[in-house]
Amino acid sequence: MDNHFFKNIEKKTGVNMKDIFDLANSLQNANFKDEKTVRGVIRRVSQIANKNVPKDMEDKIVKSIVKDGKQLDFNQISKMINKK
């Protein structure tokens, strides 16, 4: 993909693509059964997205991911974060 494509995504979302790639690389060998790792990922994603995740919501997301550490469903996490 060309650089122009990523610049358009950055412009539309306000999210730096380098941050997204760095996050994706860090997730490749992450242990999603480890609560500390999962909390770190949640905090990093919320920081990149500039979206506050309340403690109770973070706890729910952590519980959901750690319960089934082999699968990380970003759609489900997104639904949980956006649900008010």
Side-chain angles (χ1 to χ4, degrees):
M1 301 198 152
D2 66 21
N3 199 23
H4 183 72
F5 175 77
F6 293 119
K7 291 293 180 192
N8 282 338
I9 292 173
E10 287 179 347
K11 188 191 291 187
K12 288 180 183 180
T13 65
V15 175
N16 183 310
M17 292 309 296
K18 181 184 180 317
D19 291 341
I20 297 296
F21 290 127
D22 289 346
L23 175 65
N25 286 333
S26 73
L27 297 178
Q28 288 182 356
N29 297 311
N31 176 3
F32 291 108
K33 290 195 179 240
D34 176 56
E35 182 177 329
K36 185 176 178 182
T37 299
V38 174
R39 285 190 189 280
V41 169
I42 293 167
R43 289 176 183 152
R44 182 70 182 130
V45 170
S46 70
Q47 181 183 36
I48 290 170
N50 197 26
K51 178 107 175 165
N52 182 41
V53 178
K55 177 77 168 108
D56 62 324
M57 181 57 62
E58 181 181 309
D59 291 341
K60 288 178 186 177
I61 295 169
V62 168
K63 183 178 179 184
S64 173
I65 293 171
V66 170
K67 184 176 92 177
D68 188 16
K70 67 180 184 285
Q71 184 176 19
L72 180 62
D73 185 347
F74 283 107
N75 288 327
Q76 184 63 29
I77 292 170
S78 177
K79 286 177 188 175
M80 291 174 79
I81 290 173
N82 291 317
K83 194 176 192 181
K84 300 236 176 184

